[in-house]
Amino acid sequence: MKQTKIVCSISDMRCDTDFIRKLFFAGMNVVRMNTAHATAEGIKTIIRNTRAVSPHIGILIDTKGPEVRTTAVKEPIHYKTGDMVKIFGRPEMDTTKDIINVSYPDITKDVKEGDDILIDDGAIDMKVVENVGPMLIAHVENDGVLDSHKSVNVPGEHIDLPALTEKDKRNILLAISEDIDFIAHSFVRSADDVRAVQKILDEHHSDIKIISKIENQEGVDNIDEIIDASYGIMVARGDLGIEVPIERIPGIQRMIINKCIAKKKPVIVATQMLHTMIENPRPTRAEVTDIANAIYSHTDALMLSGETASGKYPLEAVQTMSRVAEQAEADVHSSYSLQHAVFSLFTNHPDQREFLAKAAIEATEQLGVKGIITDSASGQTARNLAAFRGPNPVLAICYKEKLQRWLNLSYGIIPIYQKKHVSSQYIFEASLRMLRQKGYIGQDDKIAYLTGSFTGDKGTSLLEINKVRDVFDNSYQFHLPNIEPETEE
C-alpha cells in the first residue's frame, strides 16, 4: 500500500527470477544495474530475468560518467598518517605504496597545492603539498588501506573529464538495443552532460529516459538547468557527501526534492539508506529516521544499493523500507499542513493540466474523494498528480507499455497498461472495479476521473467526481469524452 517507490540495485551474481520476484512482491518498483560491476552478458541476464518476472518492473542502468579511480594494486596497501606519496595520471600502470596512479591522465592540470584528495569515498585523505610537472606530492592525513580501483575525489575542483567514457557509450548502446527504461547518468555537472547522453538516444530514436545523478558541487550549482534537461533526478549522497561538506547534504537533498516537485520531475534519494542491513538483519534507528525524513520531504523514490546487490539480507531490506515508507506516509497525510507546504511550491499561474490535477487532489480533503483515475498517453497528467503528493492512490491507465514502467518512479501512481482500444467509460468502470477489489475504495466513496479533451489533442480538460455506487447504477449517464488512446496528452 506504500506510495513511495523503491529502486533496488541488482548484481548479475545474484539475479535469478525467484530472487527478483521476492523483491518485487516485497515492494520493489525498479531494478537498477551498476555498470561498474557487471559485464554486458551479466546486464542482459538481469534484464531477461526481470522481464520474465514482470513486464511492469522498470529497469535502470548506470553510467560511470566523469569519475576518477586509482589503478590496480597487487595486494592491499596500508598507509599511516604522515606517509608521503606521489600521484600520477597513468591509467595503464599499477599502484604501489609510494606511487599512486589514477585513471585521469591530466590530474596535475586540475589539482593544485593545498587541495585534499579523498580516496575510497573519503576513507583515505591526502593533502597535496606540491604540484611538480607530471606528478603531485601528497601527505597522508589518516591511517587507511587502499585496494584496487577506488574512487578519487577532489572537493572544490573541476575535473575536466568528458561527460561519457567509451564504456559508457557502449553501455548506452546496449541499453538501447535491450529497450530498457532509464539511464542514470553519473556525476552530471551541467545540462551539457545530459545532452551528451540524449544525443546518442536521439541518434538511435530511443525513448529511454535520463535520470541525472547529482554527485558534486557543480551539479548542485547547476541544478535548475539539469532538472530541465532530465526526466528525473537522483540525489546520490555517496560521492556528494565527499565532494561537499557533509553537513550540507540534508539541506541540498531537501532543496533538490522541492525543485523537482515544482517542475513535476521524479526524484530519487539514494545511498546508505539501510547500509547496516548489508551485514545485519535489522536497521539502525538513524537509518529508519533517514528514510522517514526523505518521505517527509516528499521524495518520489528511495534506492537500495549494496543492501540488495550484495548484502546478506536483501529481502528483509526491501520489506523494512516498505514498512517504514507506509508508516511515514501515514504520518505525513495525517497533517494537511504538510500537504499545503507542497502546494506552496507551485506557480500561481498554472496551466490547465496542473490546475485540474491540483483540484483533484484538493477534492480528497474538501469533498472526501478516496481515489483518482486518469488515462494517459504521455504521463504528464499522472506526474502532475504525483507532484501534489495526495493521500490516496492515483490509478493511471497507460496507452503505452513503457509509460507504465516510467511512472514506476512517480509517487503514489499505480500505473496499468491498457492494451486494447476501448471506450473511456469501459476504462473508468474497469479501473473502479480494480480499486474496489484491492480495497482502496468502497461503494459509498467518491472517485475523481481526469481525462483528455473532447477534441482529442488538447491535453487534460475534464475532471469528473462521482460516488462509486452511482457509477455502477444502470441509470447513470456518463459525461466522459471518448478519446483515442494513441493521442498525446
Side-chain angles (χ1 to χ4, degrees):
M1 302 291 284
K2 68 175 176 61
Q3 299 196 70
T4 306
K5 303 304 175 69
I6 296 178
V7 182
C8 293
S9 301
I10 302 295
S11 164
D12 57 347
M13 303 300 292
R14 184 171 62 184
C15 66
D16 60 87
T17 54
D18 184 57
F19 175 71
I20 294 172
R21 185 177 294 108
K22 287 177 180 177
L23 298 190
F24 179 46
F25 288 139
M28 177 182 71
N29 303 100
V30 175
V31 162
R32 175 232 180 187
M33 301 177 294
N34 186 348
T35 56
H37 305 294
T39 64
E41 284 307 311
I43 289 168
K44 290 179 182 179
T45 300
I46 296 172
I47 295 169
R48 182 172 59 251
N49 290 353
T50 300
R51 290 283 180 260
V53 170
S54 172
H56 305 160
I57 303 172
I59 299 180
L60 177 152
I61 190 169
D62 270 4
T63 64
K64 287 170 62 64
E67 68 170 357
V68 182
R69 288 187 174 270
T70 61
T71 60
V73 300
K74 289 184 170 56
E75 57 185 24
I77 299 171
H78 294 261
Y79 288 105
K80 294 291 184 181
T81 304
D83 286 347
M84 301 297 293
V85 298
K86 298 174 182 177
I87 301 174
F88 288 86
R90 299 185 297 200
E92 72 285 356
M93 298 182 66
D94 286 352
T95 288
T96 63
K97 182 166 185 178
D98 296 328
I99 298 177
I100 295 177
N101 289 298
V102 301
S103 60
Y104 178 40
D106 295 327
I107 190 166
T108 57
K109 294 181 180 179
D110 297 335
V111 179
K112 62 181 184 295
E113 183 180 325
D115 282 341
D116 283 298
I117 296 180
L118 304 179
I119 298 176
D120 192 11
D121 293 335
I124 304 174
D125 181 2
M126 298 184 180
K127 186 172 288 291
V128 177
V129 296
E130 195 173 358
N131 185 326
V132 186
M135 71 176 177
L136 303 170
I137 300 175
H139 178 271
V140 178
E141 300 289 299
N142 64 283
D143 295 357
V145 180
L146 176 63
D147 215 325
S148 297
H149 306 297
K150 294 303 179 181
S151 62
V152 177
N153 298 86
V154 188
E157 296 292 357
H158 171 79
I159 303 299
D160 193 21
L161 282 165
L164 292 169
T165 66
E166 290 304 314
K167 182 179 180 181
D168 287 336
K169 293 174 184 177
R170 291 194 299 272
N171 283 325
I172 291 171
L173 294 177
L174 175 61
I176 292 170
S177 68
E178 295 292 327
D179 195 29
I180 70 165
D181 307 300
F182 306 101
I183 291 173
H185 188 28
S186 298
F187 297 98
V188 171
R189 301 162 295 188
S190 68
D192 286 341
D193 288 353
V194 185
R195 286 190 282 265
V197 179
Q198 190 63 57
K199 183 174 183 290
I200 298 174
L201 297 177
D202 291 344
E203 288 171 350
H204 292 81
H205 309 289
S206 172
D207 58 3
I208 293 174
K209 303 303 183 186
I210 300 172
I211 306 297
S212 292
K213 296 171 68 175
I214 305 302
E215 304 184 76
N216 52 38
Q217 185 64 53
E218 286 181 90
V220 174
D221 292 341
N222 297 318
I223 189 62
D224 290 310
E225 67 175 57
I226 293 171
I227 292 174
D228 289 341
S230 310
Y231 179 82
I233 299 292
M234 182 187 295
V235 186
R237 303 179 305 180
D239 279 280
L240 186 61
I242 305 302
E243 291 280 340
V244 305
I246 198 164
E247 65 272 14
R248 292 188 56 214
I249 299 302
I252 290 172
Q253 175 177 306
R254 189 175 184 85
M255 176 271 290
I256 293 175
I257 290 172
N258 285 345
K259 285 181 177 291
C260 288
I261 290 172
K263 294 190 177 183
K264 325 297 187 306
K265 301 290 183 82
V267 56
I268 308 163
V269 174
T271 316
Q272 295 186 333
M273 303 300 296
L274 288 171
H275 189 72
T276 302
M277 293 191 74
I278 293 176
E279 296 290 340
N280 300 285
R282 290 176 59 83
T284 66
R285 280 71 168 169
E287 288 168 335
V288 170
T289 303
D290 181 37
I291 293 171
N293 282 332
I295 294 170
Y296 296 156
S297 295
H298 306 293
T299 188
D300 284 274
L302 303 165
M303 192 173 92
L304 294 168
S305 299
E307 299 94 332
T308 50
S310 58
K312 295 179 181 178
Y313 302 96
L315 179 60
E316 292 83 353
V318 180
Q319 291 169 335
T320 297
M321 183 168 275
S322 294
R323 289 197 308 271
V324 175
E326 282 187 48
Q327 183 60 56
E329 291 158 10
D331 295 340
V332 167
H333 295 307
S334 67
S335 170
Y336 270 89
S337 62
L338 287 171
Q339 192 65 50
H340 294 154
V342 173
F343 285 0
S344 70
L345 298 172
F346 297 97
T347 175
N348 292 324
H349 304 285
D351 62 22
Q352 180 173 293
R353 184 187 281 122
E354 181 182 318
F355 178 86
L356 290 172
K358 181 179 179 183
I361 298 296
E362 288 182 317
T364 63
E365 178 183 17
Q366 299 179 22
L367 299 178
V369 166
K370 295 298 183 184
I372 299 171
I373 298 171
T374 188
D375 50 353
S376 185
S378 71
Q380 188 57 55
T381 295
R383 288 189 291 272
N384 278 356
L385 288 163
F388 287 107
R389 303 298 195 260
N392 296 319
V394 175
L395 186 67
I397 307 302
C398 304
Y399 297 128
K400 182 176 182 179
E401 189 171 20
K402 248 188 153 177
L403 176 58
Q404 180 183 22
R405 299 195 290 269
W406 292 334
L407 290 176
N408 273 337
L409 285 181
S410 294
Y411 180 92
I413 303 297
I414 305 170
I416 301 295
Y417 173 48
Q418 174 60 53
K419 296 181 181 179
K420 296 180 180 179
H421 179 186
V422 294
S423 70
S424 296
Q425 178 172 332
Y426 175 87
I427 290 172
F428 187 39
E429 290 183 348
S431 301
L432 280 180
R433 289 190 182 95
M434 196 201 86
L435 290 174
R436 286 170 59 195
Q437 290 169 357
K438 290 185 174 296
Y440 286 110
I441 59 172
Q443 281 282 78
D444 294 318
D445 290 330
K446 290 180 180 178
I447 192 81
Y449 185 53
L450 273 168
T451 190
S453 170
F454 284 89
T455 62
D457 61 356
K458 300 298 183 183
T460 300
S461 61
L462 176 72
L463 168 62
E464 184 165 352
I465 298 174
N466 301 284
K467 183 175 283 189
V468 174
R469 185 184 301 278
D470 292 340
V471 173
F472 292 102
D473 186 333
N474 291 332
S475 65
Y476 178 76
Q477 297 296 312
F478 280 88
H479 302 287
L480 303 176
N482 202 14
I483 65 168
E484 294 289 332
E486 291 79 14
T487 300
E488 289 293 326
E489 287 186 27

